[in-house]
Amino acid sequence: MKKQDEELIAQHPWLLDVSGPLLAWYDRQARILPWREQNTPYRVWVSEIMLQQTRVEAALPYFERFMQALPTIKDLADADPQLLLKLWEGLGYYNRVRNLQAAARAVVEKWDGNLPDQYDQLVSLPGIGDYTAGAIASIAYNRPIPAVDGNVLRVLSRLLASRADVTQPSVKKEMRSLAQAMIPSERAGDFNQALMELGAMVCLPNGAPRCDQCPVYHLCRGSQQGIAHELPVKPPKKQRRSIDLTVFILICEGNVLLRQRPKKGLLAGLWEFPHVEGWITAEEASRWVNQWGGKVLDNHALPKAQHIFSHLEWHMTAYKMLCTSFPAPKGYIWADRSQLSGQIALPSAFRAYSKHLPEWL
């Protein structure tokens, strides 16, 4: 333990009593998850990347499919980028999988395909920050390194009855030092997972802790002071910007028109249904097709939908249009059934409209 960690834990010595009851609870209550049953470094790494911004229940089928398609780091490094996007289709935050492949290529080049066990080496890889490096090092290699995510920040804030703003770097650093001092060296990975599990299953966010189910309730200063539901403290979220869009589902001879987004920015490089900003009429939508050289044979409106990004909301209306044949404009393609099922990944932002494609697509 570093001297600064020792000094910090000396101010809260009772935190050292957390690991015993917490690990006993974890041994009884931990969820059975595929990356826990086989906690190889690669499986732990992929699971941690998938679980960023994604619920466990949603990630499970993606994890199983990913492991079947790409069972080794070498397979990931060599995979076709379009296959990667297809495997990730619907999970969102696609830069996660791009960084995953970039890191896999670095691991193959520098460490012969073996994920390193040292924090400094892990954190040097694309897409791996403090938390993910700590999770891999501790869970896969039992290194006594903390893994402090939002769940852990919430648990520690409530244990300490701390009203410090957990979004501040200095507060995160202090919480990480406390977590470091609390880790039992013989069960580092289990301890980190237990803290995360407690935050995910019992010490819930948005003012709803299940204190009656908590194995360390007797040590929790937040509960004792009756303020656990008020913690952690965060600044108000910035209001998301809203954009109105009109989406075109253009179908010709059993194919659907798609365009590729720019290589940088939101949903970078993914394929999408053509759309324009603002809500337009069916007649105006038909005129767009006329400009491309086609003629609309049938046009009907689809239900409105919305998709929420972290900083942005899309409010969409759409038209499904059958049209005569015309060459795909530059940057567009006419996608057939095989491309949509096996190669092209459509962002989940358009999931509400994907279901309106013909059955043969």
Side-chain angles (χ1 to χ4, degrees):
M1 190 185 302
K2 295 180 180 178
K3 184 177 180 180
Q4 62 184 29
D5 296 340
E6 291 178 349
E7 293 174 350
L8 191 58
I9 201 70
Q11 301 172 31
H12 313 283
W14 51 271
L15 284 177
L16 296 176
D17 297 330
V18 166
S19 63
L22 179 63
L23 285 168
W25 169 83
Y26 181 73
D27 290 339
R28 296 191 308 270
Q29 303 291 337
R31 288 171 291 179
I32 298 173
L33 300 171
W35 48 85
R36 287 178 178 168
E37 292 181 299
Q38 299 178 51
N39 63 337
T40 64
Y42 178 48
R43 290 169 68 87
V44 170
W45 175 30
V46 172
S47 71
E48 289 296 340
I49 299 300
M50 282 191 174
L51 292 173
Q52 295 170 5
Q53 309 291 335
T54 304
R55 293 177 297 106
V56 168
E57 296 76 13
L60 281 170
Y62 285 94
F63 179 82
E64 298 287 10
R65 184 174 63 163
F66 198 96
M67 285 296 117
Q68 288 176 6
L70 306 171
T72 70
I73 292 178
K74 181 70 162 56
D75 294 324
L76 171 58
D78 294 342
D80 184 314
Q82 288 301 317
L83 170 62
L84 281 182
L85 293 176
K86 190 64 179 177
L87 290 170
W88 210 264
E89 183 179 26
L91 270 178
Y93 300 94
Y94 290 86
N95 274 340
R96 291 183 296 174
V97 75
R98 294 189 181 96
N99 284 332
L100 199 62
Q101 184 172 55
R105 289 171 174 169
V107 170
V108 169
E109 180 182 345
K110 296 180 180 178
W111 296 290
D112 198 29
N114 298 306
L115 200 63
D117 62 351
Q118 299 300 312
Y119 171 85
D120 290 344
Q121 294 173 330
L122 287 166
V123 83
S124 73
L125 293 169
I128 296 184
D130 285 342
Y131 163 75
T132 305
I136 295 169
S138 63
I139 298 169
Y141 297 112
N142 200 40
R143 302 292 188 202
I145 299 172
V148 179
D149 66 351
N151 282 324
V152 174
L153 285 172
R154 182 170 61 258
V155 169
L156 291 178
S157 291
R158 289 172 173 172
L159 281 170
L160 293 164
S162 170
R163 291 190 179 275
D165 179 353
V166 295
T167 66
Q168 293 298 312
S170 60
V171 176
K172 289 183 178 179
K173 182 179 179 181
E174 182 172 305
M175 294 292 189
R176 193 172 186 275
S177 293
L178 284 171
Q180 174 75 70
M182 294 166 67
I183 295 175
S185 59
E186 68 279 4
R187 295 191 65 183
D190 287 344
F191 178 77
N192 282 341
Q193 290 183 94
L195 271 181
M196 291 184 269
E197 191 84 340
L198 188 69
M201 305 302 294
V202 175
C203 200
L204 301 176
N206 303 318
R210 298 171 178 170
C211 296
D212 59 325
Q213 301 176 29
C214 180
V216 291
Y217 172 76
H218 61 292
L219 296 170
C220 181
R221 301 304 193 253
S223 291
Q224 292 167 11
Q225 296 176 26
I227 61 170
H229 62 288
E230 302 173 9
L231 304 173
V233 171
K234 297 180 182 179
K237 289 184 178 180
K238 293 182 180 179
Q239 188 171 358
R240 285 187 289 262
R241 185 165 58 95
S242 296
I243 296 179
D244 295 336
L245 298 177
T246 299
V247 179
F248 305 149
I249 314 298
L250 291 177
I251 298 167
C252 174
E253 298 177 351
N255 299 323
V256 61
L257 188 68
L258 300 177
R259 71 180 177 195
Q260 192 168 29
R261 292 184 64 84
K263 297 297 183 184
K264 294 184 178 181
L266 184 68
L267 304 176
L270 296 178
W271 293 90
E272 66 180 357
F273 297 122
H275 57 268
V276 295
E277 193 163 333
W279 288 353
I280 63 176
T281 66
E283 292 74 19
E284 289 171 321
S286 294
R287 285 200 288 272
W288 272 93
V289 180
N290 297 154
Q291 292 174 12
W292 287 328
K295 180 179 179 181
V296 175
L297 305 175
D298 182 62
N299 185 352
H300 69 273
L302 298 177
K304 288 182 169 59
Q306 73 171 10
H307 187 79
I308 298 176
F309 300 95
S310 59
H311 63 294
L312 182 68
E313 292 182 14
W314 281 358
H315 297 271
M316 298 174 283
T317 188
Y319 297 100
K320 181 177 179 180
M321 296 178 278
L322 298 179
C323 57
T324 59
S325 177
F326 63 90
K330 184 178 180 180
Y332 293 65
I333 61 168
W334 286 105
D336 60 23
R337 179 178 182 177
S338 64
Q339 289 172 302
L340 283 171
S341 63
Q343 300 173 25
I344 292 175
L346 288 175
S348 57
F350 297 102
R351 184 175 292 162
Y353 297 123
S354 300
K355 63 185 180 184
H356 291 285
L357 293 172
E359 291 184 4
W360 60 84
L361 284 173

